[in-house]
Amino acid sequence: MTSTVHASRRIERLVAGRATADGAGVKLTRVLASELQRRLDPFLMLDAFANENPDDYIAGFPPHPHRGFETVTYMLAGRMRHRDSAGNEGLLEPGGMQWMCAGRGVIHSEMPEQEDGLMEGFQLWLNLPARSKMQPAWYRDIPAAAIPDYALPGGGRVRVLAGASQGITGAITRPDTEPLYLDVWLDAGMTFAQALPVAHNAFVYVYRGEVQIAGTPVPSRQMAVLDNAAHADGVSLLAGAEGARLLLLAGQPLGEPIAQYGPFVMNTEAELHQAIQDYRGGVLA
């Protein structure tokens, strides 16, 4: 049960990501950073975190602002409590996802609700088009049971967080950027193919095991930026001897200027200055 892909995209480059800390000292790996924002438009950032030591995550992400984009937090293990300035509150649990559109502004916190054990997951930043950056903020909690998935022949599964795969519509669909966000589990030696629009930028992040794409291996904790060859109609993956788990993301580029200052992503420097002024003046939201 995979798409028919006649010509797979190839790997343009491999990215290892860099170790960093964010929030109040949460240790993570920044896989997609600012230098790739234009190449992987509309995606702005991808962080991966996997910490067994509570000292590496317990301080969490105290209240902080956002404007101009969407945040997507996907948990594999652990529990995180969300609260924001619009009065929303939710508990993100294993297998669940939180989708927040910061729009014209929101102040939120994401704090662990555990004192030991593994905390593992991802946070993705997805850009908004200029005309939507000042829309009202909104937030949605999506529990694990509400994320559609389907089985692969011979073993393995695909969870459809956003977009659509094999006729299965994901938990979220978004206009303009049309994001595809899949969590793909492959048993040893399995193949998986996904059709992709030629114009969409796409990448794969392997977080368990290894896969091959067009004959090139992608080891664990590496991101493969996929090319945009005009003849390619999708991507084909082959899992290694230990199987693999990976994220596959693709989206329609906005082709707009990107102006970023920390948690604010706008189109111009003037808009950034206004965001900072609004935050300092207590009128961000």
Side-chain angles (χ1 to χ4, degrees):
M1 187 178 179
T2 60
S3 300
T4 299
V5 172
H6 300 288
S8 177
R9 295 192 187 199
R10 295 181 175 272
I11 296 173
E12 181 177 294
R13 71 182 94 167
L14 291 175
V15 178
R18 65 173 184 265
T20 187
D22 211 334
V26 177
K27 292 186 177 179
L28 50 84
T29 298
R30 184 139 297 158
V31 182
L32 195 170
S34 57
E35 57 267 24
L36 283 170
Q37 287 178 345
R38 296 189 185 280
R39 173 60 189 87
L40 290 174
D41 178 14
F43 303 108
L44 298 166
M45 189 187 79
L46 177 67
D47 285 345
F49 51 92
N51 301 315
E52 291 271 10
N53 182 352
D55 291 340
D56 294 339
Y57 64 72
I58 200 67
F61 301 88
H64 58 280
H66 290 300
R67 174 179 278 181
F69 62 100
E70 300 181 278
T71 69
V72 184
T73 307
Y74 176 42
M75 294 293 286
L76 301 180
R79 303 167 79 245
M80 192 87 75
R81 174 72 62 179
H82 166 97
R83 293 185 175 92
D84 66 39
S85 54
N88 298 305
E89 181 174 341
L91 181 62
L92 188 56
E93 298 185 278
M97 178 173 64
Q98 170 201 105
W99 199 291
M100 185 181 78
C101 176
R104 67 189 180 205
V106 69
I107 298 170
H108 78 142
S109 63
E110 298 163 297
M111 302 300 292
E113 286 215 345
Q114 62 188 64
E115 296 182 355
D116 55 33
L118 176 64
M119 175 82 68
E120 183 178 15
F122 308 94
Q123 186 167 95
L124 176 74
W125 287 13
L126 177 67
N127 208 357
L128 285 167
R131 66 177 178 276
S132 301
K133 284 185 178 293
M134 295 299 286
Q135 67 177 287
W138 56 263
Y139 161 88
R140 182 177 168 193
D141 265 325
I142 304 166
I147 297 177
D149 67 355
Y150 61 87
L152 294 170
R157 299 195 73 80
V158 177
R159 305 191 78 210
V160 189
L161 282 72
S165 178
Q166 296 303 308
I168 306 297
T169 300
I172 286 276
T173 58
R174 301 294 292 133
D176 303 308
T177 54
E178 302 173 12
L180 173 72
Y181 191 172
L182 306 180
D183 181 9
V184 182
W185 309 3
L186 299 176
D187 290 347
M190 281 189 60
T191 60
F192 172 74
Q194 174 66 43
L196 299 171
V198 172
H200 286 202
N201 291 326
F203 65 92
V204 168
Y205 179 68
V206 178
Y207 64 93
R208 301 271 198 284
E210 181 178 291
V211 299
Q212 285 192 22
I213 300 174
T216 301
V218 186
S220 182
R221 306 205 178 277
Q222 295 253 335
M223 175 175 73
V225 178
L226 303 180
D227 68 14
N228 295 78
H231 69 279
D233 57 352
V235 62
S236 298
L237 311 168
L238 171 63
E242 298 180 359
R245 289 188 64 173
L246 59 102
L247 306 179
L248 170 59
L249 292 103
Q252 170 69 48
L254 295 172
E256 297 178 348
I258 298 171
Q260 180 177 358
Y261 180 78
F264 308 124
V265 182
M266 305 302 289
N267 296 104
T268 68
E269 293 296 319
E271 291 169 340
L272 279 183
H273 290 311
Q274 186 64 54
I276 296 166
Q277 182 177 326
D278 289 347
Y279 175 55
R280 290 173 176 170
V283 294
L284 179 74

